[in-house]
Structures are given as C-alpha cells and as structure tokens.
Amino acid sequence: MPLVIEIASPESAHRDRTVKLRKYAEAGVPHYWCVEEDEGEPVVHVYELDEPTRSYSRASSVASLRRPVPFEIALDLGELVPRQQG
C-alpha cells in the first residue's frame, strides 16, 4: 500500500494541502500524510483515499499518531520537537 508523506514548510503548505493532495488522489495513492507545524507543535494530517470518488477523507493527529493502515504505527508527536532549554 503506497504511502506519501510530505513535510510542509510555510512556503509549501498551501501547495501540499491543495495541489499535491488533488494530484495524489487522482493518481490513486491510498495514503497521504502531511506533517506541519501549528503554533510550535507538530501536526499530522492523515488522508485516506475513497476509491470510487478518487478523493480523500481526512483525520488530523495533534499529540499522537496512531494508525492501523497502511501499517500499524503509534508515535508521540511531541518527541519530534526538541525540548526547550530553560
């Protein structure tokens, strides 16, 4: 099961959420994840393809990512960000 993961920057976020999302759906990519930052915290937008419509349904993960497909994963997103020294 193919999976595409994009790491969005402020310059690419709009393109990753619109143009690439549409193109991957049209190409039949079953799983598309877009990782970006929201107020200093990582967010993963998880998209799963609806085959008949060739469009994605979306679920966002903020604190942790737990998915059974395309493979089982459990990830603490907070661990992706270096801790502030203070």
Side-chain angles (χ1 to χ4, degrees), residues 31 33 46-48 59 61 65-74:
H31 304 279
W33 298 357
V46 176
Y47 299 89
E48 291 187 8
S61 296
L65 175 66
R66 296 191 190 292
R67 303 297 304 166
V69 292
F71 49 83
E72 192 167 327
I73 185 171

Side-chain angles (χ1 to χ4, degrees), residues 1 4 7-8 12-13 16 24-25 32 34-35 40 44 46 53 55 64 69 73 75 77 80 82-83 85:
M1 293 206 153
V4 172
I7 308 299
S12 72
D16 293 337
Y24 289 136
Y32 175 67
C34 185
V35 181
V44 179
V46 176
T53 64
S55 62
S64 65
V69 292
I73 185 171
L75 180 64
L77 298 177
L80 300 176
R83 301 283 182 234
Q85 300 292 325

Side-chain angles (χ1 to χ4, degrees), residues 40-42 77-84:
E41 297 296 323
L77 298 177
E79 294 295 318
L80 300 176
V81 180
R83 301 283 182 234
Q84 297 291 328

Side-chain angles (χ1 to χ4, degrees), residues 7-16 35-36:
I7 308 299
S9 68
E11 295 79 27
S12 72
H14 176 73
R15 183 176 60 249
D16 293 337
V35 181
E36 57 187 288

